[in-house]
């Protein structure tokens, strides 16, 4: 599981660890992850610090996983970041960071792990409605998610002969720490959530556990 120390990745980690799976938890906030695993006595958790925006960190992650396990049953790609910006105000370095983390890293993870996927393995990518539903001011993030969904479709076609399933979950918005990670204030987050809730029939935004239920379903046979 990438992006395992918060939000959807953390919720997914709880489920698989509670089911006694052997799980590699790739994240940047290792201290938080170690504390959680210690408190919950997750002895089958392997914690790996990795910033998947950097190519050498992706290679380190891949080397670590493949040396540890000869085969892989489930891969959950949760690592990602969301930055608000339009065409005019997008800085090249911000654009590169988003594309590298949200899309490029997943491509290389799939490419290098291909020989290690078990027959009937399941790969779950976390996308977002903004990948297909345009909204002003989120162009780099939306491009990364649109690319991820295309990657998911083509990889599913290419790996079908191995009986490897690849799906993307497209949900938005979800109450995670993604906005806090880029230093958005709590007041702004509350305002954003309230505005989004007005357009949702249930009157609430999704919680990480809502999405994890879908991850669990897709990971099952």
């Amino acid at each position: 599981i990438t992006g395992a120390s918060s939000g959807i990745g953390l919720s997914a980690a709880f489920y698989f660890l509670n089911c006694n799976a052997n799980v590699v938890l790739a994240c940047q906030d290792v201290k938080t992850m170690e504390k959680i695993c210690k408190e919950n006595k997750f002895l089958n958790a392997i914690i790996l610090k990795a910033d998947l925006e950097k190519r050498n960190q992706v290679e380190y992650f891949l080397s670590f996983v493949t040396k540890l396990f000869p085969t892989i049953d489930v891969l959950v790609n949760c690592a990602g970041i969301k930055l608000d910006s339009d065409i005019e105000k997008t800085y090249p370095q911000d654009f590169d960071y988003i594309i590298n983390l949200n899309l490029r890293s997943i491509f290389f993870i799939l490419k290098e792990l291909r020989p290690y996927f078990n027959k009937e393995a399941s790969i779950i990518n976390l996308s977002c409605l903004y990948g297909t539903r345009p909204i002003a001011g989120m162009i780099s993030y939306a491009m990364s998610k649109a690319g991820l969904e295309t990657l998911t479709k083509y990889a599913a076609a290419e790996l079908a002969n191995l009986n490897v399933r690849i799906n993307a979950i497209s949900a938005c918005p979800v109450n995670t720490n993604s906005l806090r990670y880029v230093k958005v204030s709590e007041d702004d987050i509350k305002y954003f959530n309230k505005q989004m809730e007005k357009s949702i029939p249930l009157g609430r935004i999704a919680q990480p556990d809502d999405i994890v239920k879908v991850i669990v379903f897709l990971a099952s046979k």
Side-chain angles (χ1 to χ4, degrees):
I1 301 173
T2 68
S5 58
S6 67
I8 296 169
L10 179 58
S11 294
F14 264 100
Y15 177 84
F16 287 108
L17 289 169
N18 277 321
C19 288
N20 295 318
N22 295 313
V23 187
V24 175
L25 304 167
C27 59
Q28 294 194 54
D29 190 355
V30 170
K31 289 184 178 179
T32 296
M33 202 73 251
E34 288 176 343
K35 181 181 178 182
I36 290 170
C37 290
K38 184 177 180 180
E39 290 174 349
N40 291 275
K41 299 180 180 179
F42 290 143
L43 302 179
N44 46 336
I46 302 105
I47 302 169
L48 175 67
K49 181 176 177 61
D51 179 0
L52 299 179
E53 184 269 335
K54 299 178 174 65
R55 178 65 191 275
N56 65 333
Q57 291 285 292
V58 174
E59 292 173 351
Y60 171 65
F61 163 73
L62 292 167
S63 175
F64 184 90
V65 171
T66 53
K67 286 179 181 178
L68 202 59
F69 298 112
T71 58
I72 297 168
D73 299 302
V74 179
L75 170 66
V76 184
N77 288 307
C78 289
I81 191 171
K82 178 165 60 179
L83 292 175
D84 296 353
S85 194
D86 57 18
I87 294 175
E88 181 183 2
K89 297 175 183 177
T90 296
Y91 294 104
Q93 58 268 34
D94 290 339
F95 178 85
D96 290 342
Y97 191 97
I98 291 172
I99 296 298
N100 286 344
L101 178 57
N102 294 6
L103 179 59
R104 191 173 185 269
S105 67
I106 297 174
F107 173 81
F108 284 107
I109 288 171
L110 292 180
K111 175 181 172 66
E112 299 302 325
L113 291 186
R114 184 183 183 280
Y116 296 88
F117 290 124
N118 245 337
K119 187 177 181 181
E120 298 185 350
S122 178
I123 300 163
I124 301 113
N125 297 326
L126 269 295
S127 186
C128 174
L129 288 180
Y130 295 150
T132 53
R133 187 176 299 174
I135 181 171
M138 300 194 70
I139 191 162
S140 300
Y141 177 74
M143 288 172 66
S144 73
K145 292 304 182 180
L148 177 60
E149 293 186 13
T150 298
L151 170 60
T152 300
K153 293 173 184 177
Y154 275 79
E158 291 185 12
L159 298 186
N161 63 325
L162 302 177
N163 288 322
V164 173
R165 293 173 289 121
I166 307 181
N167 291 281
I169 300 173
S170 181
C172 189
V174 182
N175 187 21
T176 67
N177 288 324
S178 60
L179 292 176
R180 295 181 182 91
Y181 183 77
V182 292
K183 310 302 182 184
V184 175
S185 71
E186 290 299 318
D187 287 341
D188 285 343
I189 291 173
K190 288 178 182 178
Y191 176 78
F192 171 79
N193 289 347
K194 286 182 179 180
Q195 291 299 112
M196 294 305 300
E197 286 169 354
K198 292 178 182 178
S199 64
I200 299 173
L202 285 177
R204 70 171 181 86
I205 64 173
Q207 299 298 319
D209 284 350
D210 295 321
I211 311 305
V212 170
K213 292 171 185 175
V214 184
I215 292 175
V216 171
F217 167 71
L218 292 174
S220 69
K221 291 185 178 181

